[in-house]
């Protein structure tokens, strides 16, 4: 019992230390965003500001092209995630249910694509987009972001589909459903955790992506928020309050989405990793 108690204490202590290490930078970012300048530049850190100001957020929101970049980021992110989910639903069903030559090789290709660093292909991607005369366009970003998140989406949904007993699908077909109808009525409702997990992963990946937009979109109005955030300090100098406010605004969509999807998303990733 003593060993068990000591083990639980050590695990809980480690978990608390890790939690504090991950959460503290986020807390300090939001804390600094609401502080007046005198509390930011003071030598003694102000852990809990008594005077709250929204001046830094006003500075960030009123920066050049801010709302245009918000629209760009939301457009490419939502379209990339939506397209990847639609394609992955059909591809994962084919890989999980249909028997065809080279099926194992297809799964292996998806795994390799998931592990491949996209940064090494930036030059090739730039040449393709340049030759197609589509620089400073949101369409190439949307397509390449979709391709980035597609392998994990397919692999995760494949494991969910493989875990559904074939008998359920066959029973629906015996009752008059087509194969497509059986997929929509029987399999699709069971994919909700996997869809949420992959949607969250895809949203974070596309929302945070930096190298491609840096290379492909040089026009200020055609960029996205990650690039704007990297240039924010250059534009506003040592205004740390405005910089932290800009970083907070950039992080809010991901934090909100994670709070809504955290339980099913985490369960979806772990279940998809062991099933099938």
């Amino acid at each position: 019992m003593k060993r068990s108690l000591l083990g639980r204490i050590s695990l809980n202590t480690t978990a608390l230390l890790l939690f504090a290490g991950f959460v503290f930078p986020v807390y300090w970012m939001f804390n600094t965003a609401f502080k007046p300048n005198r509390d930011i530049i003071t030598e003694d850190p102000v852990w809990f500001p008594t005077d709250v100001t929204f001046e830094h957020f006003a500075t960030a929101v009123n920066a050049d092209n801010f709302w245009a970049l918000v629209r760009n980021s939301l457009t490419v992110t939502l379209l990339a995630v939506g397209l990847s989910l639609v394609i992955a639903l059909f591809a994962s069903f084919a890989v999980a249910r249909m028997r065809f030559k080279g099926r194992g090789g297809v799964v292996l290709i998806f795994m390799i694509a998931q592990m491949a660093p996209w940064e090494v292909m930036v030059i090739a991607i730039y040449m393709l987009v340049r030759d197609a005369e589509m620089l400073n366009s949101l369409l190439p970003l949307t397509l390449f972001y979709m391709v980035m998140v597609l392998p994990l989406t397919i692999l995760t949904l494949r494991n969910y589909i493989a875990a559904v007993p074939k008998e359920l699908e066959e029973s629906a077909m015996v009752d008059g459903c087509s194969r497509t109808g059986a997929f929509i009525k029987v399999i699709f409702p069971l994919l909700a955790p996997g869809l949420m997990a992959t949607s969250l992963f895809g949203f974070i990946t596309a929302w945070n992506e930096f190298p491609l937009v840096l290379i492909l979109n040089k026009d200020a109005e055609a960029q996205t928020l990650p690039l704007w955030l990297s240039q924010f300090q250059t534009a506003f100098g040592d205004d740390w309050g405005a910089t932290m406010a800009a970083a907070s605004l950039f992080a809010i969509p991901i934090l909100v989405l994670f709070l809504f999807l955290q339980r099913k998303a985490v369960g979806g990733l772990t279940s998809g990793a062991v099933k099938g």
Side-chain angles (χ1 to χ4, degrees):
M1 291 182 63
K2 289 183 178 180
R3 289 183 179 179
S4 177
L5 179 61
L6 290 175
R8 288 198 299 271
I9 291 174
S10 63
L11 290 175
N12 290 334
T13 302
T14 303
L16 288 174
L17 291 175
L18 290 174
F19 175 79
F22 283 112
V23 170
F24 179 76
V26 179
Y27 163 75
W28 196 252
M29 176 181 68
F30 282 99
N31 185 21
T32 305
F34 286 103
K35 289 179 185 176
N37 285 326
R38 66 176 183 274
D39 291 340
I40 296 176
I41 62 177
T42 183
E43 293 184 359
D44 299 323
V46 179
W47 301 100
F48 304 100
T50 54
D51 296 330
V52 176
T53 179
F54 292 92
E55 179 183 355
H56 304 310
F57 287 95
T59 302
V61 169
N62 293 325
D64 293 339
N65 301 318
F66 172 76
W67 292 111
L69 300 183
V70 170
R71 183 179 65 250
N72 292 346
S73 289
L74 288 175
T75 299
V76 298
T77 300
L78 295 178
L79 285 177
V81 173
L83 289 172
S84 67
L85 289 178
V86 172
I87 296 173
L89 279 173
F90 294 102
S92 58
F93 180 81
V95 173
R97 283 287 193 258
M98 299 180 180
R99 298 291 181 265
F100 55 89
K101 189 175 182 180
R103 187 168 69 112
V106 171
V107 176
L108 180 61
I109 290 173
F110 289 147
M111 292 181 178
I112 295 174
Q114 179 61 36
M115 294 183 293
W118 283 93
E119 289 77 8
V120 302
M121 293 183 283
V122 166
I123 297 176
I125 292 173
Y126 171 79
M127 295 176 66
L128 287 172
V129 176
R130 181 201 61 189
D131 294 343
E133 297 182 354
M134 298 185 68
L135 293 175
N136 296 311
S137 172
L138 298 182
L139 180 59
L141 290 180
T142 301
L143 295 177
F144 285 115
Y145 290 176
M146 178 198 70
V147 174
M148 284 181 185
V149 302
L150 192 57
L152 179 64
T153 307
I154 292 175
L155 292 174
T156 303
L157 295 181
R158 164 189 170 271
N159 292 335
Y160 269 91
I161 294 174
V164 177
K166 291 183 179 180
E167 290 77 11
L168 295 178
E169 186 180 351
E170 292 171 353
S171 297
M173 296 174 67
V174 169
D175 291 338
C177 286
S178 62
R179 190 158 196 173
T180 303
F183 172 78
I184 295 174
K185 294 179 180 180
V186 177
I187 297 178
F188 183 75
L190 301 177
L191 301 181
L195 290 172
M196 291 183 181
T198 52
S199 297
L200 180 59
F201 168 80
F203 188 93
I204 293 174
T205 301
W207 186 260
N208 291 334
E209 204 284 326
F210 179 83
L212 276 183
V213 68
L214 176 64
I215 299 298
L216 300 181
N217 293 38
K218 296 295 184 181
D219 252 356
E221 295 183 356
Q223 296 173 356
T224 56
L225 286 176
L227 190 56
W228 168 80
L229 186 60
S230 70
Q231 299 170 349
F232 191 86
Q233 172 120 36
T234 304
F236 289 89
D238 292 332
D239 191 347
W240 293 108
T243 302
M244 291 298 102
S248 301
L249 290 172
F250 177 74
I252 283 174
I254 294 177
L255 293 176
V256 171
L257 186 65
F258 181 78
L259 289 176
F260 276 106
L261 301 182
Q262 58 173 334
R263 291 186 178 180
K264 291 186 177 180
V266 173
L269 284 176
T270 55
S271 298
V274 299
K275 292 183 180 180

